[in-house]
Amino acid sequence: MEQIKTKSIVLGITGGIAAYKAAELARMLIKQDIVVQVAMTDAACHFITPLTLQALTGKPVLTSSWGESGNGMDHINLSRSANMIVIAPATADFIAKLAHGLADDLLSNMCLARNCSLLIAPAMNRQMWESAATQRNIKQLMADGVIVLGPDSGVQACGEEGLGRMLEPAQLAQAVVAQFQPKLLTGTRVMLTAGPTYEAIDAVRGITNRSSGKMGYAIAQAALELGAQVTLVSGPTVLLAPHGVELVQVNSAQEMFEAVKTHVAGTDIFIGVAAVADYRAAETSTQKIKKSTSNLTLVLVPNPDILAYVAALPKPPFCVGFAAETENLKTYATQKRTAKKLPLLAANLAQQAIGADDNELILFDDAGEHLLPRADKLTQARALMNHIIKLKGIT
Ligand code: PMT
């Protein structure tokens, strides 16, 4: 898989309240080993100071066409050395400029003079976003090959609610990184289950586990980066789904099972990362069960095994299982792979994997076992996807 180490981008910041989030975006991109050169419009400098961005990136921030390099050619030089220009936030005004090829400041000059891809993250009041002019301009930019990320919907700085919020920095960073990966899975449909399930006992109590969803969401991100069309069936988590996945939110194992059955047709690769509750309460109460002095017996019945169902379909997708064990990892993992007839299974120690930011995985396939030494979950996810690509013979 291509390393993104040597990639460099120009992060263009225009004048909107979401400009403060660009600082976090710059930090996240640098963490991914991307070289970030910031260029700001005059208006952006009213919302966040160039000094903040300079401190984060370690590079002088460009704000004017006049001066920095001394030859007035910054707009050409910078757009030639960058692999990508990312405008976050992109205001309605800047979008209008881009759509019409106007170039009256350094950033708009760079965009016009670029020979690399351009990504924009619109951020504005919902009415401005919905206006005929902005929609016309966005359509034009998309037709020109500009990649538009968002906007999202929610409460806005002005107090109104609707479409126009900039995507969160983490979602933008993921989308930028994804652009740099070879699109080996274009046209491939990947479905994942992730997170825990919640099995209700009564109106306020239930059975669940400590799965955070981090491993599954990281794999969804890694699959997206490779150009796959990703459906993420997720139990309850606090995580933001990567921008571009089809997210299906569920609570219980039965809901997860129904969602998988509904969406599985046409899936090429199915990955069961969810920590699905093996049992649910035989009966649930819609009211809160009242305390009493006598014992309370809870009868549990088994949940359907979602992965086993998918693997046993007449024409199953390439199925990847996970096994979280607290002991005898290799033995139990091998048993699970054999029982469900899986071409690949990723095993991890539950006490070290669940909820953690990093993980160690052992992959079991027909050729034997392969250790993925402890690393952050996105690195593990990319390595796992790479392994799947190799097993499927995709080049
Ligand atoms: O979410 P995190 O905090 O990042 O933690 C990640 C993780 C530890 C949850 C993850 O890496 C992991 O190991 N997931 C599988 C956990 C598990 O419960 O495995 P299992 O041994 O119970 O199940 C084996 C396989 O069958 C899994 O692929 C599971 O998704 C699937 N399964 C299990 C039961 C069931 N009813 N339906 C299923 O599909």
Side-chain angles (χ1 to χ4, degrees):
M1 190 173 291
E2 194 184 333
Q3 284 294 321
I4 55 170
K5 269 205 160 45
T6 53
K7 301 297 182 191
S8 76
I9 68 154
V10 168
L11 173 59
I13 308 176
T14 68
I17 183 63
Y20 79 93
K21 291 187 181 176
E24 181 64 358
L25 174 59
R27 200 186 61 80
M28 288 177 159
L29 292 170
I30 289 165
K31 228 172 142 191
Q32 293 283 328
D33 290 324
I34 295 175
V35 176
V36 179
Q37 170 64 63
V38 174
M40 295 171 70
T41 63
D42 269 353
C45 299
H46 288 282
F47 288 93
I48 183 169
T49 69
L51 190 60
T52 305
L53 275 306
Q54 181 168 330
L56 286 169
T57 61
K59 283 170 171 288
V61 170
L62 306 170
T63 52
S64 162
S65 298
W66 319 109
E68 279 91 0
S69 71
N71 64 9
M73 286 296 157
D74 277 345
H75 61 296
I76 307 287
N77 298 339
L78 284 164
S79 66
R80 293 296 175 275
S81 58
N83 298 102
M84 188 187 295
I85 300 179
V86 181
I87 310 291
T91 59
D93 174 68
F94 198 78
I95 286 169
K97 260 191 206 176
L98 289 177
H100 292 89
L102 298 181
D104 62 356
D105 61 9
L106 179 62
L107 193 54
S108 49
N109 265 294
M110 280 164 63
C111 290
L112 200 59
R114 77 185 188 281
N115 59 0
C116 59
S117 47
L118 174 62
L119 278 68
I120 62 166
M124 67 199 72
N125 165 269
R126 66 171 181 88
Q127 208 75 58
M128 292 170 83
W129 172 253
E130 284 162 14
S131 76
T134 301
Q135 288 306 309
R136 229 177 13 246
N137 291 336
I138 286 287
K139 232 185 194 165
Q140 184 58 55
L141 289 181
M142 285 163 82
D144 293 345
V146 175
I147 297 166
V148 181
L149 303 171
D152 210 347
S153 173
V155 180
Q156 306 198 303
C158 55
E160 292 183 11
E161 202 169 337
L163 265 181
R165 275 170 66 94
M166 190 172 83
L167 293 185
E168 292 303 324
Q171 292 174 303
L172 292 175
Q174 286 170 348
V176 170
V177 170
Q179 290 297 316
F180 289 131
Q181 298 291 358
K183 303 291 174 247
L184 292 175
L185 292 184
T186 300
T188 301
R189 287 195 52 193
V190 175
M191 176 185 274
L192 299 114
T193 62
T197 62
Y198 178 86
E199 312 301 323
I201 295 171
D202 69 10
V204 291
R205 305 181 183 97
I207 304 166
T208 187
N209 59 65
R210 288 176 22 230
S211 168
S212 60
K214 287 177 193 169
M215 192 69 240
Y217 279 54
I219 297 171
Q221 165 66 16
L224 265 188
E225 288 175 3
L226 291 161
Q229 192 185 326
V230 181
T231 301
L232 174 62
V233 182
S234 175
T237 76
V238 295
L239 302 178
L240 264 182
H243 179 63
V245 301
E246 180 189 15
L247 177 67
V248 184
Q249 286 173 304
V250 297
N251 278 308
S252 65
Q254 281 192 302
E255 284 174 22
M256 189 173 270
F257 188 38
E258 290 310 318
V260 167
K261 283 197 288 187
T262 305
H263 292 86
V264 75
T267 297
D268 302 295
I269 300 169
F270 179 84
I271 312 176
V273 199
V276 185
D278 290 326
Y279 297 92
R280 67 180 182 280
E283 281 177 18
T284 58
S285 166
T286 51
Q287 302 301 326
K288 184 180 170 194
I289 298 171
K290 299 307 289 177
K291 185 168 75 176
S292 83
T293 49
S294 46
N295 289 350
L296 180 70
T297 304
L298 193 61
V299 178
L300 299 178
V301 293
N303 271 324
D305 192 312
I306 301 164
L307 177 60
Y309 165 85
V310 176
L313 285 171
K315 280 189 184 164
F318 183 92
C319 283
V320 183
F322 265 73
E325 307 292 346
T326 52
E327 56 177 356
N328 302 328
L329 182 61
K330 292 187 182 182
T331 313
Y332 291 152
T334 310
Q335 282 168 3
K336 279 181 182 169
R337 186 171 99 85
T338 312
K340 295 183 191 177
K341 299 193 179 72
L342 305 173
L344 179 63
L345 183 135
N348 45 202
L349 274 174
Q351 59 273 38
Q352 291 176 11
I354 213 153
D357 288 334
D358 53 14
N359 201 4
E360 178 179 288
L361 291 174
I362 306 175
L363 307 184
F364 292 88
D365 59 22
D366 288 347
E369 57 179 78
H370 316 265
L371 175 72
L372 299 182
R374 183 161 284 279
D376 65 89
K377 284 181 174 169
L378 185 56
T379 302
Q380 298 295 48
R382 288 179 180 144
L384 174 69
M385 288 310 301
N386 228 4
H387 198 83
I388 293 171
I389 282 171
K390 266 194 220 139
L391 290 184
K392 282 181 65 67
I394 298 169
T395 48

